Amino acid sequence: MALSAALTPFYNYILLHATRQNGLKIFLAFTAYYVFKYRSHAVGTRRRRELKQPKGAVPLLGHMPLMTSIHGKELYQFLEKQYNELGPIWYVSLPLLGNMIQIDTPEHVEHILKTNFWNYEKGPLFATMLGDIVGTGGVFGCDGPKWKFQRRLASNIFNVKAFREYTSDVFVAEGQKVIDYLGKAADEGTIVDFHALMLLFTLDSFGAISFGKSFGCLDNIEKEVPFAISFDDLIEICSERLKDPAFLIRERLSGVHQKVKDHSALVRNYGLHIMQKRKREGFHGAKKDLLQLFIEAKDEEGNPVSEELVVDNILSFTIAGRDTTAQALSWMFYLVYRAEADKEIAANLTKEVDEVLQGGNPTYESHKQQKYAEACFYEALRIYPVLPRNLRMCVKDDVLPDGTKVHAGEWVTWSSYVMGRSERIWGPDAKSYNPGRWINTEKPSQGKFNSFHAGPRVCPGQQFATIEALSMIGMILQRFEVSLVDPHNEPQYRASLNLPMADGLKIRVKRRSN
């Protein structure tokens, strides 16, 4: 829109005054004018002289060549480098997208997500870029009253009574399938991809809890799950769009658009099948699950919500329900068992598991006593946040706590990955894995530790994810000794909206002698 507004006077003038003799001269003159005007920022954007920006801006295109040249697996290292060189506040300008202001401070994140929450939205661009995976109407793709209505529905499955049932009825039952698989691997001496295994565990658990139907991934672990494959590919493709304003052209020329179409059809048809099957067979459970809540929901006018909206939410919540726990557990096991790790961390973790569970299965009550395991889990999320980057669009002109102006239509972005490693925020040992920082200390603010978001949009499933993770930690460590196949090298992350391991996490397990 800004680009069109910027160029329209130019084209109008040429159409009115150009002739065969002077047309080229006029065109070249105006081109020179626009190149000069937008010599250091993208056409159609407002130049922010008072803000620092990375080197590499070119006339008219701004930072588009720079950003599109960054491989997805190097994005967060790039953001961290800019943070160290430019400070926590800087910006890039991109044609079509506009200005994106990086705001990596706890105070600014709290301002955006809490203090002035209603002035910052995900906006229509978010739905355009991510619509193929989360839809346009689901809780993760909408703003305002629509978001509030769906958030209220979802909160019904995240409560203490439900957590008690989930722990005993689902987490332990699905976890036992993981234990059986690990037991076989221990007996046969085979290598296990822990990251892939955790994704199967969380997908099955979330399906059973939210939709009354396990995806069946753990029933045949070696078999590929088409839904999960298409799901991951879509997430990766959509994440690349966030730094490429010309993604529609690129995807069309490269053939990726057909891949998107096929993957999107597969995952949405799966969600549609789940919903239609429930409608045919009816709901007979004692407590309504997430799917039933959305099927029975009425909009503002008292009409049933559309099937499209129900599917949007099935997919949105599946992303959150699967990836948060699985990825955080994977990064945690890497941090605990890597070569440079303090051996006392693994020893303390196992000691607590033995003392709390005493050979039994996890319960809702037992997880409250796993303080050290919880600290290990949150410390892993600090260093390797599942949602490493986020953004919002400013609705009305605003001023951040440090006096930085944000104009309507501009974007603010922040990186939990960068903030979690910042010495300015976490002190000189910010890059060290230290679960002790969570023991007997004041809880960090939501702005400082924003892995579960903050304010009204704070993740309603934070406790759900924590209990699920602690259940799995307890069940594994009281039965097995764990070691990494490659304890010396940090796993690479995959280009994505979240932070999956590119090549998994290969481990060996050995049955504990005691």
Side-chain angles (χ1 to χ4, degrees):
M1 201 70 170
L3 177 62
S4 175
L7 294 180
T8 296
F10 169 47
Y11 290 123
N12 285 344
Y13 186 90
I14 289 180
L15 290 173
L16 289 172
H17 300 281
T19 67
R20 287 184 180 181
Q21 288 75 26
N22 66 9
L24 179 60
K25 292 180 181 180
I26 294 175
F27 178 82
L28 291 176
F30 269 88
T31 298
Y33 166 75
Y34 276 98
V35 168
F36 178 77
K37 180 178 180 180
Y38 294 102
R39 61 190 178 279
S40 61
H41 57 299
V43 63
T45 65
R46 180 194 301 261
R47 186 178 181 185
R48 300 299 304 270
R49 297 175 186 272
E50 74 280 16
L51 298 180
K52 295 179 181 178
Q53 59 177 310
K55 297 177 181 178
V58 300
L60 303 179
L61 297 179
H63 294 92
M64 178 180 171
L66 172 66
M67 297 304 293
T68 54
S69 70
I70 300 169
H71 193 282
K73 296 180 180 180
E74 300 170 350
L75 176 61
Y76 305 117
Q77 282 78 6
F78 168 79
L79 294 176
E80 189 173 14
K81 181 175 182 289
Q82 302 311 313
Y83 177 88
N84 293 330
E85 293 180 356
L86 304 177
I89 311 296
W90 51 276
Y91 89 109
V92 295
S93 65
L94 300 170
L96 302 178
L97 296 182
N99 288 334
M100 289 190 165
I101 304 172
Q102 196 75 21
I103 55 157
D104 293 323
T105 76
E107 297 77 18
H108 290 149
V109 171
E110 288 210 17
H111 178 84
I112 301 301
L113 296 180
K114 295 177 69 175
T115 308
N116 207 7
F117 170 76
W118 295 107
N119 193 49
Y120 291 88
E121 298 182 346
K122 293 191 173 183
L125 183 63
F126 186 93
T128 300
M129 291 185 163
L130 306 184
D132 288 303
I133 185 66
V134 299
T136 57
V139 67
F140 292 160
C142 64
D143 296 294
K146 289 184 178 179
W147 163 79
K148 194 172 183 180
F149 162 70
Q150 294 174 72
R151 166 69 180 233
R152 187 171 63 249
L153 277 181
S155 65
N156 284 284
I157 72 164
F158 298 112
N159 56 69
V160 172
K161 184 177 183 297
F163 289 145
R164 293 180 189 276
E165 297 171 359
Y166 301 159
T167 306
S168 57
D169 296 345
V170 178
F171 297 154
V172 171
E174 297 297 335
Q176 187 57 51
K177 297 176 184 177
V178 172
I179 297 304
D180 292 342
Y181 181 75
L182 292 177
K184 181 181 178 183
D187 296 339
E188 297 176 356
T190 55
I191 292 173
V192 173
D193 185 344
F194 185 74
H195 183 57
L197 184 61
M198 289 301 96
L199 285 169
L200 299 180
F201 164 68
T202 54
L203 186 58
D204 276 2
S205 296
F206 194 76
I209 289 169
S210 298
F211 314 129
K213 176 182 172 60
S214 167
F215 287 81
C217 303
L218 292 172
D219 296 332
N220 188 351
I221 291 176
E222 305 302 333
K223 182 180 178 181
E224 289 188 334
V225 182
F227 174 86
I229 294 172
S230 291
F231 210 59
D232 286 335
D233 284 352
L234 271 179
I235 291 174
E236 181 172 347
I237 291 169
C238 289
S239 69
E240 285 293 317
R241 295 173 174 176
L242 293 174
K243 58 186 180 69
D244 182 9
F247 73 88
L248 288 174
I249 299 173
R250 172 179 55 79
E251 290 179 7
R252 175 68 62 173
L253 294 176
S254 64
V256 170
H257 74 288
Q258 186 59 49
K259 190 176 180 181
V260 170
K261 186 177 179 181
D262 294 342
H263 284 324
S264 184
L266 190 150
V267 297
R268 295 194 72 82
N269 284 340
Y270 192 92
L272 193 63
H273 170 74
I274 290 175
M275 178 190 62
Q276 291 176 342
K277 186 171 185 289
R278 171 67 62 83
K279 286 185 173 181
R280 288 195 309 269
E281 299 176 357
F283 179 72
H284 308 290
K287 178 179 174 57
K288 293 178 182 178
D289 57 17
L290 188 64
L291 175 60
Q292 195 62 29
L293 287 169
F294 276 106
I295 287 177
E296 295 181 5
K298 308 289 185 184
D299 62 19
E300 297 84 353
E301 299 176 358
N303 301 314
V305 298
S306 68
E307 290 189 345
E308 189 76 10
L309 181 61
V310 176
V311 172
D312 285 350
N313 280 294
I314 288 175
L315 298 178
S316 295
F317 280 99
T318 299
I319 292 178
R322 183 191 70 152
D323 292 349
T324 301
T325 308
Q327 292 177 16
L329 275 173
S330 300
W331 289 111
M332 175 189 145
F333 270 61
Y334 158 69
L335 289 165
V336 170
Y337 294 106
R338 60 182 176 166
E340 62 189 88
D342 182 348
K343 304 306 177 187
E344 285 297 310
I345 295 177
N348 291 338
L349 198 52
T350 301
K351 182 174 181 288
E352 180 186 75
V353 165
D354 289 344
E355 291 176 349
V356 172
L357 298 183
Q358 298 182 5
N361 284 325
T363 64
Y364 176 75
E365 284 69 28
S366 69
H367 98 270
K368 298 177 184 177
Q369 303 173 55
Q370 291 180 261
K371 298 299 184 184
Y372 195 75
E374 183 177 90
C376 289
F377 183 65
Y378 284 167
E379 180 71 347
L381 274 168
R382 179 183 70 84
I383 300 175
Y384 293 102
V386 173
L387 193 62
R389 191 185 184 207
N390 219 317
L391 76 165
R392 290 290 184 274
M393 185 187 72
C394 181
V395 177
K396 296 181 180 179
D397 289 357
D398 191 25
V399 179
L400 299 181
D402 70 342
T404 299
K405 294 181 180 179
V406 183
H407 301 287
E410 290 185 321
W411 293 86
V412 291
T413 74
W414 64 97
S415 172
S416 300
Y417 182 96
V418 172
M419 293 178 67
R421 295 158 184 256
S422 167
E423 293 184 3
R424 290 188 181 101
I425 298 172
W426 291 94
D429 68 338
K431 291 183 172 64
S432 300
Y433 182 65
N434 176 22
R437 77 174 80 242
W438 298 86
I439 305 293
N440 298 323
T441 58
E442 184 179 350
K443 185 178 179 181
S445 69
Q446 290 182 342
K448 182 177 180 179
F449 179 65
N450 50 72
S451 292
F452 288 103
H453 226 56
R457 277 192 185 262
V458 68
C459 176
Q462 177 175 352
Q463 192 175 10
F464 174 100
T466 303
I467 296 172
E468 184 178 31
L470 300 189
S471 298
M472 194 74 270
I473 292 168
M475 293 184 73
I476 292 174
L477 296 188
Q478 70 175 337
R479 292 171 174 85
F480 303 103
E481 295 176 8
V482 178
S483 62
L484 301 183
V485 171
D486 181 6
H488 299 285
N489 295 304
E490 179 185 26
Q492 295 296 306
Y493 58 81
R494 181 181 177 188
S496 182
L497 295 174
N498 38 44
L499 204 66
M501 292 178 169
D503 301 307
L505 184 69
K506 306 302 189 297
I507 67 169
R508 290 188 176 91
V509 290
K510 177 182 176 183
R511 292 186 186 273
R512 289 180 57 186
S513 57
N514 59 342

